[in-house]
Amino acid sequence: MLLLISPDGVEEALACAKAAEHLDIVDVKKPDEGSLGANYPWVIREIRGAVPADKPVSATVGDVPYKPGTVAQAALGAAVSGATYIKVGLYGCTTPDQAIDVMRGVVRAVKDFRPDAFVVASGYADAHRIGCVNPLALPDIARRSGSDAAMLDTAIKDGTRLFDHVSPEACAEFVRLAHEAGLLAALAGSVKTADLATLTRIGTDIVGVRGAVCEGGDRNTGRIRPRLVAAFRAEMDRHAREHAATPAAS
């Protein structure tokens, strides 16, 4: 698994830079604007300059409405600002066709500018609470739109977690569908170290965290600390070793 960490600004990005050996992707978001809240272009640029050049920078475009042109422009802005992973939260899309429409615009806007950019179609494990597309529809949406990955997060940050809304078995199906479509599968949503065994077993490609590497486990009031990033990576690596050693994995 790749470890994606989400700082909320340049100060936390510098903490990520100090722990760069323990993470794989630095993800720029603005938590006070939502689960996948978009940060400012200049913040993306500053964070790109603050972290090592070999660490990809991801940027969220927001929990977006069904406005394909608006979202395409926003996605291009993130790419121009230095992000190579572009994440779109399909919050306002109530049908797969709407979601595909949005993501096709994003893919074209971003890849016309930077063909090697990586586009992530993001849905929500708690889709039933906000009325957006079913989580298990995301891999097909990503495939049909030309995206590179399908992701699940949680839309409402009220202390509930990924597995509170989508069972480990359903997440395993999500990962399987993504892999069958030739996509990477990313999972997030108040992920804790206790979830790593399951995430490893089902073949998750990217795990996204924030609260788990913040002081006090609080994504809003806690701050990312390098020692917590290192500890989380150590647990990831331990589970990877244990999984590789099991007969079923060999």
Side-chain angles (χ1 to χ4, degrees), residues 94-180:
T94 58
T95 68
D97 284 345
Q98 288 183 349
I100 292 165
D101 197 16
V102 168
M103 292 310 305
R104 280 179 175 160
V106 168
V107 169
R108 178 171 178 176
V110 168
K111 291 185 181 282
D112 278 355
F113 171 74
R114 182 165 184 166
D116 65 340
F118 197 88
V119 177
V120 184
S122 300
Y124 304 92
D126 53 347
H128 59 283
R129 298 204 287 179
I130 59 173
C132 67
V133 290
N134 186 293
L136 290 181
L138 260 295
D140 191 57
I141 289 166
R143 177 188 64 81
R144 292 173 61 191
S145 63
S147 301
D148 301 290
M151 181 175 189
L152 287 184
D153 203 329
T154 49
I156 301 173
K157 300 299 185 181
D158 60 355
T160 59
R161 299 159 62 189
L162 174 70
F163 292 145
D164 291 331
H165 301 288
V166 178
S167 69
E169 293 74 23
C171 285
E173 178 69 0
F174 175 88
V175 171
R176 185 188 68 79
L177 291 170
H179 289 170
E180 283 188 353

Side-chain angles (χ1 to χ4, degrees), residues 39-241:
N39 216 317
Y40 300 107
W42 52 88
V43 173
I44 298 173
R45 287 197 300 270
E46 288 182 49
I47 289 177
R48 174 63 281 175
V51 301
D54 64 338
K55 296 297 177 183
V57 167
S58 163
T60 54
V61 175
D63 296 310
V64 306
Y66 175 53
K67 293 187 176 180
T70 299
V71 179
Q73 281 203 31
L76 177 59
V80 169
S81 301
T84 49
Y85 281 60
I86 310 297
K87 291 165 53 186
V88 181
L90 296 166
Y91 191 98
C93 296
T94 58
T95 68
D97 284 345
Q98 288 183 349
I100 292 165
D101 197 16
V102 168
M103 292 310 305
R104 280 179 175 160
V106 168
V107 169
R108 178 171 178 176
V110 168
K111 291 185 181 282
D112 278 355
F113 171 74
R114 182 165 184 166
D116 65 340
F118 197 88
V119 177
V120 184
S122 300
Y124 304 92
D126 53 347
H128 59 283
R129 298 204 287 179
I130 59 173
C132 67
V133 290
N134 186 293
L136 290 181
L138 260 295
D140 191 57
I141 289 166
R143 177 188 64 81
R144 292 173 61 191
S145 63
S147 301
D148 301 290
M151 181 175 189
L152 287 184
D153 203 329
T154 49
I156 301 173
K157 300 299 185 181
D158 60 355
T160 59
R161 299 159 62 189
L162 174 70
F163 292 145
D164 291 331
H165 301 288
V166 178
S167 69
E169 293 74 23
C171 285
E173 178 69 0
F174 175 88
V175 171
R176 185 188 68 79
L177 291 170
H179 289 170
E180 283 188 353
L183 306 165
L184 295 187
L187 294 171
S190 300
V191 169
K192 309 296 183 188
T193 53
D195 303 319
L196 288 172
T198 298
L199 293 171
T200 302
R201 175 179 56 79
I202 66 177
T204 310
D205 298 299
I206 302 171
V207 59
V209 301
R210 173 171 172 76
V213 295
C214 287
E215 284 184 314
D218 191 317
R219 73 188 298 270
N220 295 314
T221 63
R223 310 307 293 161
I224 292 175
R225 298 301 182 203
R227 61 181 174 78
L228 298 176
V229 175
F232 193 89
R233 166 63 79 177
E235 281 298 290
M236 283 179 63
D237 291 344
R238 180 176 70 82
H239 285 290
R241 289 192 301 271

